[in-house]
C-alpha cells in the first residue's frame, strides 16, 4: 500500500495540480492512498518550519510531498515538491499530467472556494466547543479525580461539547501521552464513551492557550525541607512569570485562570494579577476553601452534629503562608419548631397542627467550644496523611475546584458565597491589589469580595494579625503594587 501526504497552500497551482493527480490515482489504483493537508498563508511557514525540524528536512516551498511506509502515520520518506512527485508517478505508474493554464487557474479558484467553506465550518464547530487547558504534572493523581468529575458537569460543555488540552511543563510529550492513556482507562467507568475523546496532549504552551477559555494550574509548589523562604518564593514567582508571559501573548481577554496548586497559592495568584496585563484580574482566582474542609470534620465531631449539616467555614489569609479558618462562622442548618398562636389557648386534645418545623441557617459558634483544637487536630492529621502518601491530600481540593466550576459556569446566576483567593479591593482592611482568601461572590460573572459578609470583632482581629506578614512578603518580593486609587477602572 502506498500512502502519500501532499501539503501546501490552497491557492498554490502546483499544490492543486498535485492533489488533482493524487485523487485520480486513488480512484483508479486500489493500493494508492493520499492524505491532503492545506495551510493558509499565515500558517504555512510556521507549519513547514516545524515539519522540517521534526524530520530533519530542508523543504522551502509549496507543495511538500512525502510517502509514509506501510500505513498512514508510518515512517515518512521525503519526496520533495511537485516535480519529484511527477517523476515518481511516471516511473511507477507511467502517468503524465498536462493541464492548460486556464483550466489550472479555474481549479485553484474552485479549491479556494472549497477551502473557505471548510474553514467556515471548522470555525463554527470550534466556536461551539468549550476550550479548557490544564497544566501541571500528570503523575499527580489529582488530575484523574478532577477529570472524572469535570467531564460530567453539563454546564461546562457548550453545544459542541468541550475539549481539554493537557500540557506538562517539565514532562516529555511521549511519556505524558502514555500517562494520559492510563488516565483515560481510569475514567472510563465514570464517563460516557463520547466524553473519552475530549483529552489531547499539546507540546507547547501556545497550543494550550490559543482559544482557551479556562486554564487550570495544578502541581506541588510547596516549600522543600532544605529551602529558604526567599528561595522558595523566587521559585514560585519565576514559574508564574513564565506563565504570565505566555498568557499575555496568546490568551484571550476573557480567559479564566484557576490556581488549584499546593503551596503559596495566594502569592502565586498575586504574581499573576501583577503581571497578566491582557486578561481581567477578577478572572484570576485561587482555590482556598479546601483549607476549611479538613477542620470542618473535626468541628462536626466536637459539636456532635452531622458533617453534611455544616457549610465550609470562611477561610482568610495569604494561603500557603498564613491563614485563619473561622470555624465559629461556619453555617449550620437547624430544624426549628415555630408554634402557632393556638398553642397558648390549647387545653389539650386538639387535632389541629400546633406549629411548623422550618430550616434555619445559624452560625455554628454556639456549638463549637474549642475551634483551636479542631484546627490543630486537622493540621496534624493532614501532615500524617502527607507523610503516609508522600504527597499532599487531594480530595478536599478536588471537591473545592469542582464546586467552583459548577458555580462559575451555572446557567443561572448564583448568590452563593464561597472562600476564594481573589484580588482584594480593600474590603475587611485587606490591602488592595493582592490575592487574599476571603468570602467571594459572583458579580456579572466576575469574582469580587463579598463586603457585606458578617464578621465578628474576633475575626477582624485575626485578619489584622495576618496583614503585617503579608505586607512584608509582598514588599520584599515586589508583588501586588496596586492601590485602591490605581486599580484599573473596570475593577472599581
Amino acid at each position: 500500500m502506498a500512502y502519500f501526504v501532499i501539503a501546501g497552500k490552497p491557492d498554490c497551482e502546483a499544490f492543486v495540480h498535485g492533489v488533482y493527480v493524487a485523487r485520480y490515482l486513488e480512484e483508479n489504483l486500489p493500493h494508492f492512498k493520499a492524505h491532503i493537508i492545506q495551510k493558509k498563508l499565515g500558517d504555512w511557514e510556521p507549519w513547514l518550519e516545524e515539519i522540517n525540524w521534526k524530520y530533519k528536512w530542508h523543504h522551502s516551498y509549496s507543495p511538500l510531498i512525502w510517502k509514509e511506509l506501510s500505513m498512514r502515520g508510518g515512517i515518512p520518506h521525503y519526496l520533495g515538491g511537485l516535480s519529484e512527485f511527477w517523476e515518481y508517478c511516471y516511473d511507477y505508474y507511467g502517468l503524465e499530467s498536462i493541464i492548460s493554464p486556464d483550466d489550472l487557474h479555474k481549479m485553484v479558484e474552485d479549491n479556494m472556494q472549497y477551502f473557505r467553506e471548510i474553514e467556515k465550518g471548522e470555525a463554527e464547530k470550534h466556536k461551539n466547543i468549550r476550550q479548557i487547558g490544564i497544566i501541571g504534572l500528570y503523575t499527580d493523581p489529582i488530575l484523574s479525580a478532577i477529570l472524572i468529575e469535570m467531564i460530567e458537569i453539563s454546564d461546562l460543555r457548550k453545544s459542541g461539547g468541550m475539549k481539554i488540552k493537557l500540557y506538562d511543563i517539565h514532562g516529555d510529550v511521549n511519556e505524558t501521552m502514555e500517562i494520559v492513556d492510563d488516565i483515560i482507562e481510569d475514567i472510563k467507568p465514570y464517563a460516557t464513551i463520547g466524553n473519552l475523546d475530549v483529552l489531547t496532549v499539546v507540546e507547547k504552551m501556545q497550543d494550550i492557550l490559543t482559544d482557551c477559555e479556562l486554564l487550570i494550574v495544578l502541581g506541588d509548589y510547596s516549600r522543600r525541607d532544605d529551602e529558604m523562604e526567599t528561595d522558595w518564593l523566587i521559585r514560585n514567582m519565576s514559574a508564574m512569570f513564565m506563565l504570565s508571559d505566555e498568557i499575555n501573548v496568546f490568551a484571550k481577554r476573557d480567559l479564566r485562570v484557576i490556581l488549584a496548586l499546593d503551596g503559596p497559592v495566594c502569592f502565586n495568584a498575586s504574581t499573576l494579577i501583577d503581571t497578566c496585563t491582557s486578561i481581567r484580574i477578577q478572572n484570576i482566582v485561587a482555590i482556598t476553601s479546601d483549607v476549611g474542609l479538613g477542620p470542618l470534620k473535626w468541628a462536626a465531631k466536637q459539636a456532635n452534629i452531622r458533617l453534611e449539616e455544616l457549610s465550609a467555614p470562611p477561610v482568610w489569609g495569604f494561603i500557603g503562608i498564613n491563614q485563619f479558618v473561622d470555624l465559629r462562622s461556619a453555617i449550620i442548618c437547624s430544624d426549628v419548631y415555630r408554634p402557632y398562636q393556638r398553642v397558648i389557648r390549647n387545653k389539650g386534645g386538639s387535632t389541629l397542627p400546633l406549629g411548623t418545623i422550618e430550616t434555619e441557617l445559624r452560625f455554628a459558634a454556639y456549638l463549637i467550644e474549642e475551634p483551636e483544637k479542631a484546627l490543630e487536630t486537622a493540621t496534624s492529621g493532614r501532615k500524617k496523611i502527607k507523610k503516609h502518601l508522600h504527597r499532599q491530600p487531594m480530595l478536599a481540593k478536588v471537591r473545592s475546584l469542582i464546586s467552583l466550576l459548577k458555580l462559575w459556569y451555572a446557567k443561572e446566576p448564583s448568590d452563593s458565597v464561597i472562600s476564594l483567593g481573589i484580588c482584594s479591593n480593600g474590603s475587611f482592611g485587606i490591602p488592595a491589589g493582592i490575592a487574599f482568601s476571603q468570602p467571594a461572590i459572583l458579580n456579572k460573572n466576575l469574582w469580587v469580595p463579598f463586603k457585606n459578609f458578617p464578621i465578628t470583632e474576633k475575626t477582624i482581629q485575626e485578619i489584622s494579625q495576618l496583614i503585617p506578614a503579608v505586607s512584608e512578603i509582598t514588599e520584599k518580593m515586589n508583588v501586588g503594587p496596586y492601590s485602591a486609587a490605581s486599580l484599573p477602572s473596570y475593577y472599581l
Side-chain angles (χ1 to χ4, degrees), residues 335-350:
D335 290 334
V336 180
Y337 179 74
R338 299 194 182 280
Y340 297 142
Q341 286 289 331
R342 67 170 62 97
V343 171
I344 301 174
R345 302 188 300 270
N346 181 43
K347 296 181 181 180
S350 174

Side-chain angles (χ1 to χ4, degrees), residues 222-406:
S222 54
R223 187 173 174 180
R224 297 163 186 160
D225 294 337
D226 59 346
E227 195 170 25
M228 300 293 290
E229 182 184 68
T230 301
D231 295 334
W232 172 49
L233 295 176
I234 290 174
R235 175 166 61 87
N236 278 266
M237 181 184 288
S238 299
M240 294 304 107
F241 281 167
M242 292 174 61
L243 177 58
S244 65
D245 286 344
E246 299 284 348
I247 288 175
N248 289 334
V249 174
F250 300 110
K252 300 192 298 185
R253 172 71 173 161
D254 57 353
L255 173 68
R256 299 176 180 181
V257 180
I258 300 177
L259 300 186
L261 49 87
D262 292 303
V265 64
C266 284
F267 174 81
N268 287 347
S270 298
T271 304
L272 290 182
I273 289 170
D274 196 1
T275 55
C276 287
T277 58
S278 63
I279 64 176
R280 293 182 176 89
I281 57 177
Q282 305 98 313
N283 276 349
I284 301 174
V285 301
I287 297 295
T288 61
S289 59
D290 60 303
V291 178
L293 292 180
L296 196 64
K297 180 181 70 172
W298 300 104
K301 185 177 181 180
Q302 185 185 112
N304 196 28
I305 57 177
R306 292 182 303 166
L307 181 60
E308 54 267 29
E309 294 178 358
L310 278 172
S311 69
V315 178
W316 305 85
F318 215 48
I319 306 304
I321 295 177
N322 64 10
Q323 58 260 343
F324 166 60
V325 180
D326 191 5
L327 273 178
R328 291 186 182 274
S329 294
I331 302 297
I332 182 174
C333 297
S334 301
D335 290 334
V336 180
Y337 179 74
R338 299 194 182 280
Y340 297 142
Q341 286 289 331
R342 67 170 62 97
V343 171
I344 301 174
R345 302 188 300 270
N346 181 43
K347 296 181 181 180
S350 174
T351 59
L352 295 174
L354 301 180
T356 60
I357 296 177
E358 298 178 3
T359 299
E360 184 178 85
L361 299 180
R362 298 177 177 178
F363 284 120
Y366 71 102
L367 290 175
I368 302 175
E369 297 180 356
E370 299 178 290
E372 294 80 9
K373 184 177 181 180
L375 292 172
E376 184 180 340
T377 305
T379 302
S380 61
R382 185 179 178 87
K383 290 180 179 178
K384 289 178 182 178
I385 294 174
K386 180 181 178 181
K387 184 177 180 180
H388 179 72
L389 296 177
H390 303 289
R391 62 169 173 79
Q392 295 285 357
M394 66 177 187
L395 295 181
K397 195 173 295 293
V398 172
R399 185 81 279 115
S400 299
L401 173 59
I402 297 303
S403 297
L404 171 64
L405 291 175
K406 288 180 178 179

Side-chain angles (χ1 to χ4, degrees), residues 9 66 100 126-127 166 200 233 269 277 323 346 392 401 416:
K9 297 179 290 184
W66 72 85
S100 69
H126 187 76
K127 185 178 179 181
L166 309 174
T200 58
L233 295 176
T277 58
Q323 58 260 343
N346 181 43
Q392 295 285 357
L401 173 59
S416 297

Side-chain angles (χ1 to χ4, degrees), residues 81-115:
L82 187 64
S83 60
E84 289 80 11
F85 184 56
W86 288 160
E87 183 179 348
Y88 185 94
C89 291
Y90 182 78
D91 288 344
Y92 277 81
Y93 310 116
L95 176 67
E96 292 183 88
S97 176
I98 301 174
I99 300 176
S100 69
D102 290 341
D103 289 341
L104 188 56
H105 182 69
K106 290 178 182 178
M107 288 171 62
V108 171
E109 288 183 346
D110 290 343
N111 187 64
M112 281 301 300
Q113 184 176 354
Y114 172 76
F115 180 72

